[in-house]
Amino acid sequence: MSDNETPNERDTVPATPAAPGPAEPIAIVGMSALYPRARGLEELWRLLVAGAPPSGTGAGPAPAGLGDIEVDVARFGIPPAQAASMARLQLLMVEAARQCLDDATGPGGLPGRTDVVVGTCLGLDRQYANALRVDGARYARDLAETLAEGPWRHTGTDPRDAERELNDVLARRLGASPHDRVGEMASTIPARIASAFKLRGRTLAVESADATSYWALAHAVDSLRAGLTDAALVVVGQRDEGRFARRALAAKGIAAGPDEAGGGPALAEGLGALLLKRRSTARRDGDRVYASVLDCALRHEARPGTFRYSLSAGHRRAAAEAAHRTAGVTPGSVGLVECAGHGTAAVGRAEQDAIAAIHTGAARDSVALGSVRDRIGHTFANAGLAGVTKAALALHHRTVPPARAGTSAGPADGSPFRVPRAAEPWRPSADGTPRRAAVLGASLTGTVCHVLLEEHVPAAAGASEPTVDPADGLSAGASAGATTGAPVAESPTGEGEFEREDEGRGAAVGRGGAGSSVGGGAGRPVHGGAGAASSVRGAGEPVAIVGFGGRFADSPDADGFWRTMLSGRDRIGPLPPESFDRDLYHAPGALARGRSYTDLGAPVPVPSAPPPGLRIPPHRYAAMDAAQRLGLHVATEMFARHGRPPHTLEGVGTVVVGSNLGLSRERRLHTGLCLDDLEADVRSLAALGALGPDEVEALTKLVRDRFTDPGPVDLPTTWDGCVASGIAALIGNEHRLDAVPVAVEAACASSLAALDVAVGRLRSGAADYAVAGGVELPCNARDMVLCSALGLLSHSRITPFDAAADGFTPGDGCALFLLKRLTDARRDGDPVFGVLRAVGASNDAKSLIAPDVDGQTRAVRQAFAQVDFGPDEVDYLEAHGTGTRLGDRVEVAAAAQVYGTGRRSAPLHIGSAKSFLGHTFAAAGAAGLLRTLQALRRATLPPSVNLSELSPDLALDAVPARVANEALPWPAGRDRPRRAAVSAFGTGGINYHLLLEEGTDATR
């Protein structure tokens, strides 16, 4: 991005309407910090208040990173066999979580229903190592073939000995464990934390480039305000791993390269954690509170083309105004602004223009500016959490930290801004308004962020604050229409100017946009007109599916997908050679290191050209990961089914895509950067002892030429095609949606986790529409080899609920759904294809691998706690159905505990799309929802396929339930719509359960 660029004409972003009252503040009751210069909160605070370094010098040479921190794995109950396969960041995050929980000193303790939300960006060391080991087998074969064909064949050197020895060297150097597939997953990190500390809430990992921290915080705030959890542990970290990140970011001018060349700052390592509770809960529990989060507002500037920071001051101002409206406070009460400090003049000007507009009229020198980056560097995914930690410490200590010169563009004479050169006491306001701070952020994909924090003021004697009932999410002692924040009348400064005059829920509220606190989930008021939501305690506002698309196996679209479901034939077969090299990776029937005992899957052809209507240059499209291409095509189908151009969607949106947070393209490119390591390994081989140094060098050059080139790294488009949130960003940017992108990983439940996040954004009023779903392509050698090592794959093919079930078969796929609040969809005349009523979730906090009846049951019960109907009114369950005897038995047993009420008038029908398409990993829940949605629309109960004999382990009679092997008519319920449920469970004890009903006014 050039500093000569100027903010575009979209700076006139219209302000969104205000919410009817402030949302309940969220208290920060625990924190931790792990940075190269600060190994703990106290060290961080000393670093922050130390004398400011001279302009341009930074803080001096930083330690190498966080690699020297020792973590006692036994302390967290981690078996040694699993510890060796864990990503280093996972260990550090468990330690950061421990320090944060230890820091929380309240006598009320930690509730079991605590969510764990983890944020990180780009690959983990274990992902890189696993990919290099699998790709290294191909390099070893190229070495053997080059030896056999070259002049060295007469030296007595055995090519196969060299190949075997190199593979052994790689296994020793890079590690090789059956648990590698689990240990490398980002979603294993929150699951590991939940297991170590017996936390039973939601667990998921999120990624949104350098807006990752803000997304993690925003989701935690949504869940707490909706009453879906009692506490949330947010842990965000960034390590300077491998060789890819620096090179790719340097090519975009964002970070210095490996040789410190480039226009940006060096990528820095850092981790931090926050423990959050509703302020009312923290007061009840007697917690020490550092500060309270008043709001975390996100906005997005959609610009087609290469990813870059927004230069729009208007979008930044809109995010700030949204945060202030939700909080019900004026900008004049903010005394500290923590700037993003991106280091480029154009982005800095946009940030300065935005805060200048927000603080127009404020007293001279009343607002201090700073940036945590001048002390710890650019910690990318962690940057937002680092800024929030700094601001919270400043509020807690009532001290304004100093900043180095150059932190901002420099305040003009007479402006309200100042840059402190030494630590200052933070004086109270003359009128008693609490001290407040703002933390600004932005993402390389176009997102801008604004967090408002407030100092903790003990509750006045006798004062009461509405609380959220943990059982149902309603404000205790308040009607469903009451807000959960403190009354605005308590403010002596006329803060109510950011509130709505009208307390009604008219159509205009549906345009609430980023940060507006309307809806709010369980038990909170809803948008639109009368009859918008159920009157049940704890009910959440219904969410309409107004568009959908899908591509699985050989089905080109969602209609072809449904035809497959009725075909009576699965789409599983031998993988094509371009996806799976049998000579290299297939060992039929054997459990062999580096090989898969099966070669079956259900692959999807990767699109070779952009969807019609999208102008994407060939070089840029070629740089995209296959998952990004597939997501773009499915999104185009989804918008077409909605029937209106996507850019006509009004208000603020979000795009949430379930995905593996380490995309294949990034791993391949990283392997390409490690060829010198492979060549060093070759030089050490005893099998080449007969060759001289010059002969070995000549050999390695020939092998390098033979080894497939994964593509260039030093292009501005390279990073774009490797980041998981790029799937969501591409959908939003190329379709010009004002929609904030994020990638979500919750193992094989990622799609339903993405839907859960999207529904939370809609119900909180932070978004007016959402795109949600999942995409993954596991039909590749790496996933086949790693899953085979743990014995997860079927030796034949996946057969859910069958007596012969022995594992799953992988499948590629993607399904996406366009969502709106039901009242808004009806108001806008949208087709309503189906209605999402609830999403329940839990973590069983036990085994990372084995399923658990209690954990799954909690997720199902949490879903039903949000609706006004019981399990006996659900006709069909789209099961996770992994095709393992244990998994299928546990799933049916958990269903029996909730659905076996004894009041059913007909059996519960159970099935699984996996019997046709295989296990699509992060896309599995989306496949299940797509199948269920199509079944509802066509009033047809979908069948399973390849079911020869029901497993005797299944307690179907306890429900009662049946698994059909043929399609059946789906009769309408008496005085109710047809209803269904969709389950998805993931490695790490992750459980999700979604409740869906037909859209009675749907287009059929």
Side-chain angles (χ1 to χ4, degrees):
M1 177 173 52
S2 168
D3 283 355
N4 294 325
E5 292 185 58
T6 57
N8 61 35
E9 297 302 319
R10 300 187 68 185
D11 278 5
T12 57
V13 175
T16 50
E24 180 173 12
I26 302 301
I28 301 174
V29 301
M31 297 195 295
S32 67
L34 290 175
Y35 298 92
R37 293 182 177 280
R39 307 297 174 85
L41 279 179
E42 292 184 2
E43 289 187 21
L44 178 62
W45 181 242
R46 286 196 294 269
L47 177 65
L48 293 173
V49 296
S55 176
T57 65
L66 301 174
D68 61 332
I69 296 178
E70 294 185 6
V71 180
D72 182 2
V73 297
R75 180 177 192 173
F76 303 111
I78 300 172
Q82 295 181 14
S85 67
M86 292 170 58
R88 173 66 180 169
L89 186 63
Q90 181 178 153
L91 289 172
L92 291 173
M93 283 188 159
V94 174
E95 175 62 18
R98 180 196 67 79
Q99 293 186 16
C100 180
L101 296 177
D102 287 350
D103 181 60
T105 58
L110 185 66
R113 197 174 67 152
T114 297
D115 286 359
V116 183
V117 187
V118 158
T120 185
C121 185
L122 295 176
L124 306 177
D125 58 352
R126 192 69 250 158
Q127 294 173 345
Y128 291 144
N130 293 339
L132 182 57
R133 191 180 75 243
V134 174
D135 281 345
R138 184 162 50 88
Y139 181 95
R141 185 182 62 183
D142 288 350
L143 172 67
E145 292 177 349
T146 304
L147 276 169
E149 297 167 0
W152 306 278
R153 62 183 180 273
H154 302 301
T155 64
T157 300
D158 188 326
R160 294 306 167 194
D161 283 349
E163 180 180 7
R164 283 190 293 269
E165 185 184 357
L166 179 55
N167 279 320
D168 288 341
V169 168
L170 292 176
R172 289 194 301 270
R173 178 166 69 84
L174 300 171
S177 163
H179 299 278
D180 282 340
R181 182 65 177 90
V182 176
E184 74 168 17
M185 297 165 61
S187 57
T188 302
I189 302 175
R192 178 75 67 185
I193 292 170
S195 176
F197 302 104
K198 308 305 178 189
L199 310 178
R200 297 177 179 272
R202 289 162 160 79
T203 57
L204 70 159
V206 300
E207 183 268 302
S208 188
D210 31 354
T212 296
S213 293
Y214 301 95
W215 251 112
L217 180 61
H219 176 62
V221 167
D222 280 350
S223 295
L224 285 162
R225 285 178 174 165
L228 296 175
T229 190
D230 300 316
L233 179 61
V234 176
V235 190
V236 186
Q238 185 75 53
R239 291 202 71 208
D240 189 5
E241 310 231 48
R243 304 179 180 183
F244 174 79
R246 279 193 178 217
R247 286 278 293 271
L249 287 171
K252 296 188 76 68
I254 304 305
D259 57 356
E260 302 302 323
L267 188 66
E269 297 191 350
L271 290 93
L274 306 174
L275 181 62
L276 308 172
K277 292 183 179 180
R278 292 178 291 274
R279 180 189 279 176
S280 56
T281 305
R283 285 176 172 168
R284 180 199 67 195
D285 293 346
D287 291 311
R288 180 271 324 280
V289 177
Y290 285 103
S292 291
V293 178
L294 301 181
D295 195 51
C296 179
L298 308 173
R299 292 295 294 263
H300 189 76
E301 182 186 8
R303 293 196 296 179
T306 304
F307 293 164
R308 53 211 184 274
Y309 289 109
S310 169
L311 298 181
S312 169
H315 275 76
R316 287 171 170 78
R317 179 176 179 178
E321 290 173 342
H324 280 283
R325 280 192 302 275
T326 299
V329 302
T330 60
S333 65
V334 172
L336 170 66
V337 174
E338 174 69 13
C339 299
H342 294 97
T344 62
V347 179
R349 283 195 300 270
E351 186 174 80
Q352 285 298 114
D353 290 347
I355 61 174
I358 285 291
H359 291 276
T360 297
R364 179 177 179 176
D365 295 338
S366 62
V367 183
L369 300 180
S371 175
V372 72
R373 276 178 60 171
D374 65 19
R375 302 307 174 100
I376 64 172
H378 183 17
T379 56
F380 209 69
N382 168 263
L385 191 140
V388 169
T389 302
K390 174 187 172 182
L393 286 171
L395 288 165
H396 180 65
H397 290 286
R398 297 179 178 177
T399 300
V400 178
R404 68 172 175 84
T407 292
S408 67
D413 291 341
S415 82
F417 305 112
R418 70 185 192 282
V419 179
R421 298 304 176 209
E424 303 173 354
W426 194 335
R427 307 294 183 189
S429 64
D431 55 15
T433 302
R435 297 170 180 86
R436 296 188 179 114
V439 180
L440 314 185
S443 162
L444 190 51
T445 55
T447 297
V448 295
C449 321
H450 199 95
V451 179
L452 285 178
L453 299 175
E454 181 179 88
E455 71 173 325
H456 179 63
V457 178
S464 64
E465 184 173 37
T467 61
V468 177
D469 185 340
D472 57 28
L474 276 176
S475 297
S479 68
T483 62
T484 55
V488 179
E490 294 181 4
S491 170
T493 57
E495 315 252 275
E497 74 174 64
F498 273 76
E499 293 178 25
R500 291 178 58 95
E501 296 293 331
D502 54 320
E503 292 297 327
R505 301 290 181 179
V509 181
R511 306 301 181 199
S516 59
S517 178
V518 283
R524 298 176 70 88
V526 297
H527 302 266
S534 143
S535 61
V536 66
R537 284 175 59 81
E541 181 172 10
V543 171
I545 299 175
V546 299
F548 62 92
R551 186 175 290 196
F552 295 86
D554 59 354
S555 302
D557 53 29
D559 290 336
F561 169 92
W562 180 246
R563 289 191 294 272
T564 295
M565 295 298 109
L566 301 180
S567 68
R569 181 176 64 85
D570 70 47
R571 296 302 191 267
I572 295 169
L575 293 177
E578 59 269 22
S579 299
F580 187 76
D581 187 328
R582 283 168 180 75
D583 292 339
L584 190 57
Y585 296 116
H586 191 206
L591 195 63
R593 188 188 73 194
R595 299 205 168 195
S596 170
Y597 49 77
T598 179
D599 64 346
L600 298 181
V604 168
V606 178
S608 58
L614 294 186
R615 298 180 178 179
I616 301 175
H619 75 279
R620 185 164 160 260
Y621 192 75
M624 293 180 187
D625 186 85
Q628 295 178 333
R629 298 187 196 180
L630 188 60
L632 270 179
H633 278 260
V634 173
T636 300
E637 178 198 350
M638 174 194 69
F639 289 127
R641 187 166 276 107
H642 180 233
R644 299 175 187 173
H647 67 267
T648 63
L649 287 166
E650 297 183 35
V652 176
T654 189
V655 184
V656 191
V657 177
S659 167
N660 182 331
L661 296 192
L663 297 185
S664 293
R665 180 165 179 78
E666 180 199 358
R667 301 191 203 200
R668 288 197 304 271
L669 289 169
H670 183 269
T671 294
L673 294 174
C674 293
L675 287 179
D676 54 346
D677 289 340
L678 294 175
E679 291 166 357
D681 291 330
V682 170
R683 296 185 191 101
S684 72
L685 297 181
L688 301 182
L691 304 184
D694 291 343
E695 291 176 299
V696 173
E697 290 305 308
L699 173 64
T700 57
K701 288 180 180 178
L702 289 174
V703 178
R704 180 180 283 250
D705 292 340
R706 188 183 196 120
F707 194 68
T708 304
D709 183 4
V713 174
D714 301 316
L715 296 176
T717 55
T718 300
W719 186 88
D720 301 5
C722 293
V723 66
S725 63
I727 305 169
L730 281 167
I731 293 170
N733 289 351
E734 296 303 320
H735 289 285
R736 296 184 179 274
L737 303 179
D738 185 359
V740 186
V742 66
V744 170
E745 185 187 312
C748 303
S750 295
S751 292
L752 293 197
L755 283 151
D756 185 37
V757 171
V759 168
R761 295 266 85 189
L762 288 165
R763 287 178 172 172
S764 74
D768 299 304
Y769 63 88
V771 175
V775 56
E776 190 162 356
L777 294 88
C779 291
N780 61 72
R782 184 191 69 250
D783 281 313
M784 297 285 285
V785 166
L786 295 179
C787 290
S788 186
L790 201 54
L792 300 175
L793 302 181
S794 170
H795 286 264
S796 54
R797 65 188 60 220
I798 186 171
T799 54
F801 311 116
D802 194 89
D806 67 342
F808 64 78
T809 304
D812 296 339
C814 175
L816 297 171
F817 305 88
L818 181 59
L819 310 176
K820 283 187 177 182
R821 292 177 288 267
L822 179 59
T823 49
D824 291 354
R826 287 176 172 164
R827 177 200 65 205
D828 296 341
D830 292 319
V832 178
F833 299 110
V835 180
L836 302 179
R837 293 300 310 274
V839 186
S842 73
N843 189 289
D844 60 38
K846 294 180 183 177
S847 170
L848 289 186
I849 301 173
D852 178 73
V853 172
D854 292 340
Q856 294 183 14
T857 300
R858 280 196 306 276
V860 178
R861 285 180 173 154
Q862 189 185 85
F864 278 106
Q866 302 170 39
V867 296
D868 56 349
F869 57 85
D872 53 307
E873 294 185 62
V874 172
D875 310 308
Y876 174 70
L877 169 61
E878 173 67 20
H880 190 56
T882 56
T884 64
R885 291 192 67 171
L886 176 61
D888 292 350
R889 175 175 60 78
V890 167
E891 183 168 8
V892 173
Q897 291 202 9
V898 181
Y899 287 95
T901 63
R903 297 189 297 272
R904 301 197 63 84
S905 59
L908 176 69
H909 288 262
I910 298 178
S912 175
K914 292 182 181 65
S915 64
F916 289 90
L917 305 167
H919 191 346
T920 53
F921 290 36
L929 177 56
L930 180 60
R931 171 169 139 121
T932 308
L933 180 66
Q934 292 283 55
L936 283 166
R937 295 180 64 228
R938 289 165 169 81
T940 301
L941 290 163
S944 292
V945 72
N946 298 332
L947 185 62
S948 299
E949 177 187 354
L950 276 175
S951 170
D953 297 338
L954 304 180
L956 295 175
D957 292 341
V959 181
R962 64 173 296 186
V963 181
N965 55 13
E966 61 180 357
L968 299 171
W970 190 338
R974 180 179 297 178
D975 300 323
R976 66 168 177 85
R978 295 175 177 86
R979 293 193 175 110
V982 181
S983 285
F985 310 122
T987 302
I990 300 170
N991 311 298
Y992 278 84
H993 194 75
L994 180 148
L995 297 177
L996 175 73
E997 63 188 26
E998 65 181 329
T1000 53
D1001 57 344
T1003 302
R1004 300 197 184 280

